Amino acid sequence: MNAARRAATTIRPDIQALSAYAVGHAEDAIKLDAMENPYGLPDQVRDAVAAAARATALNRYPAARHDALDAAVRAAFGVPDDAALLFGNGSDELISLIVQACCEPGDVVLSPVPSFVMFELSARFHHARFAGVPLTPDFQLDLPAMLAAIQARQPKVVFLAVPNNPTGGRWSDAAIETILAAAPGLVVIDEAYQPYADGTWMPRAATLANAVVLRTVSKIGLAGLRFGYLAGPAPWIAQIDKLRPPYNIDVLTEAVLLAVLRYKPVLDEQAARLRASRDDLARELASLPGITVYPSSANFLLVRFSGKMGANAVHQALKTRRIRVRDFSGGDPALADCLRISLGTPDEHAALMAALRDILA
Ligand code: PMP
């Protein structure tokens, strides 16, 4: 039997036409490509994690309820008491569950573009149609275009990454308010980068008729755990919860998260340190020839190269110097000359700047 032929006649043609989500590998490199927190956990926290893992029974399935984790997440991240809460294996999983819960085949998922690619991929995986509404040339939200597209396409789900990945901007509360009023279905306010921004919609998570607030612990130092949470009015969360695989939060994730959240100020302090370094790095980058740095409310900077050397060539040159950033050439044409650089430690920023001065000289 020829497996390739059988797969080709069985797997959905639209899936065969896709390329898999690329995850970069970079051992021994300065990793500024994935919006991770570069600081490890201090010994005291690592000891608590080890003790929690040791005390966890691996032979049992996870419990049906996560009451202790629920209370810890609410306390650590300011989830209102009257909001319902749903946990996911990363916020990626919650994005997928939201689309599954809301969309019948052919229904529309809408988001500004460029934005987080999983909004479009999740739509496609679940037979929904994706409507991308281009940002303005300087990567601001085009509110009139958003409202026109919402009116014309009647999306079941609108995803708003606030701040936006990969551009870094944070849409104004007034603009989001206007979108909420216009949207006929659910609006997902994805606050993955909120710890690096001013403002949050979380306090209103229980009170909005057609919105939920999505968060992750990935960008504050726990990307390896795979844990995201969705807060919103109970009538929405209860329906989306029906699609959740029963054991999506494994026992180690739960135990480790409970242990780490007792030291939440450590994570806050690291995020504050990263955030405080953002303006300095932006200023240094902007002083290089032919470089535009876009304003960012996240733990990364989007940078456009309009000099002799294109973003792709700079990306390759950084790679040979063992510095990883994210290159967007080959994707959305709006990002053609852009690299996304995640914030790192002061030493990593110094190494990046030395390499770029050398490359661009
Ligand atoms: N939302 C946004 C806007 C993101 O940029 C990302 C990660 N790149 C995610 C959600 C997914 O994060 P995770 O699955 O690690 O929680």
Side-chain angles (χ1 to χ4, degrees), residues 275-342:
R275 183 176 171 171
S277 73
R278 185 171 60 204
D279 284 354
D280 285 342
L281 183 63
R283 213 174 307 112
E284 284 195 66
L285 285 166
S287 73
L288 296 171
I291 286 194
T292 307
V293 183
Y294 293 95
S296 172
S297 300
N299 63 336
F300 57 83
L301 293 167
L302 188 74
V303 176
R304 192 184 288 282
F305 291 78
S306 42
K308 281 196 301 290
M309 236 177 145
N312 185 246
V314 174
H315 172 244
Q316 289 303 330
L318 285 172
K319 204 164 161 182
T320 62
R321 288 164 172 79
R322 310 195 74 76
I323 298 176
R324 297 301 175 97
V325 299
R326 177 68 192 269
D327 177 21
F328 284 99
S329 36
D332 188 325
L335 295 170
D337 301 315
C338 292
L339 297 181
R340 187 191 62 203
I341 302 172
S342 306

Side-chain angles (χ1 to χ4, degrees), residues 37 76-77 195-196 220 263-275:
N37 170 349
F77 301 112
Y196 301 95
I220 54 167
Y263 299 90
K264 171 78 176 0
V266 172
L267 302 179
D268 292 339
E269 188 275 325
Q270 292 178 342
R273 231 190 302 168
L274 287 167
R275 183 176 171 171

Side-chain angles (χ1 to χ4, degrees), residues 5-352:
R5 193 162 48 81
R6 294 297 290 270
T9 54
T10 304
I11 302 284
R12 285 162 44 180
D14 60 325
I15 300 298
Q16 293 189 52
L18 286 174
S19 10
Y21 186 94
V23 174
H25 280 283
E27 273 170 39
D28 301 335
I30 294 182
K31 241 183 134 295
L32 304 176
D33 59 345
M35 288 84 92
E36 294 148 331
N37 170 349
Y39 299 109
L41 294 170
D43 283 346
Q44 185 190 21
V45 186
R46 297 174 67 87
D47 289 346
V49 166
R54 213 180 305 118
T56 300
L58 297 180
N59 58 320
R60 302 295 181 197
Y61 280 106
R65 299 173 54 96
H66 298 280
D67 291 341
L69 191 60
D70 188 280
V73 167
R74 284 176 190 278
F77 301 112
V79 179
D81 288 343
D82 49 351
L85 200 49
L86 181 60
F87 298 151
N89 187 328
S91 49
D92 279 347
E93 182 180 53
L94 294 166
I95 290 167
S96 176
L97 297 182
I98 290 164
V99 177
Q100 285 182 64
C102 296
C103 293
E104 304 206 54
D107 279 344
V108 171
V109 170
L110 184 144
S111 158
V113 287
S115 189
F116 184 39
V117 292
M118 287 311 294
F119 302 152
E120 175 168 2
L121 286 179
S122 275
R124 292 217 227 164
F125 292 166
H126 301 302
H127 304 277
R129 286 177 297 161
F130 180 75
V133 182
L135 298 174
T136 65
D138 59 348
F139 297 138
Q140 296 303 304
L141 191 69
D142 187 340
L143 186 58
M146 283 293 289
L147 296 176
I150 289 169
Q151 174 68 29
R153 305 294 302 270
Q154 295 290 300
K156 279 288 188 72
V157 184
V158 175
F159 284 105
L160 299 174
V162 188
N164 191 45
N165 170 23
T167 57
R170 187 180 187 281
W171 317 139
S172 73
D173 289 349
I176 295 171
E177 202 91 58
T178 310
I179 290 169
L180 289 178
L186 180 65
V187 178
V188 181
I189 302 172
D190 179 347
E191 293 195 331
Y193 301 96
Q194 187 280 332
Y196 301 95
D198 294 325
T200 170
W201 282 75
M202 187 57 86
R204 297 174 64 183
T207 61
L208 300 161
N210 63 334
V212 288
V213 179
L214 180 63
R215 292 269 193 89
T216 177
V217 298
S218 295
K219 319 298 174 184
I220 54 167
L222 303 169
L225 269 192
R226 308 308 302 132
F227 182 83
Y229 54 102
L230 184 69
W236 286 101
I237 299 295
Q239 297 301 326
I240 299 164
D241 185 36
K242 293 178 183 172
L243 288 152
R244 184 179 53 82
Y247 305 117
N248 68 329
I249 305 301
D250 67 82
V251 290
L252 284 175
T253 297
E254 172 155 28
V256 169
L257 195 55
L258 275 169
V260 174
L261 288 182
R262 287 202 294 274
Y263 299 90
K264 171 78 176 0
V266 172
L267 302 179
D268 292 339
E269 188 275 325
Q270 292 178 342
R273 231 190 302 168
L274 287 167
R275 183 176 171 171
S277 73
R278 185 171 60 204
D279 284 354
D280 285 342
L281 183 63
R283 213 174 307 112
E284 284 195 66
L285 285 166
S287 73
L288 296 171
I291 286 194
T292 307
V293 183
Y294 293 95
S296 172
S297 300
N299 63 336
F300 57 83
L301 293 167
L302 188 74
V303 176
R304 192 184 288 282
F305 291 78
S306 42
K308 281 196 301 290
M309 236 177 145
N312 185 246
V314 174
H315 172 244
Q316 289 303 330
L318 285 172
K319 204 164 161 182
T320 62
R321 288 164 172 79
R322 310 195 74 76
I323 298 176
R324 297 301 175 97
V325 299
R326 177 68 192 269
D327 177 21
F328 284 99
S329 36
D332 188 325
L335 295 170
D337 301 315
C338 292
L339 297 181
R340 187 191 62 203
I341 302 172
S342 306
L343 298 178
T345 65
D347 285 352
E348 290 173 337
H349 290 181
L352 171 76

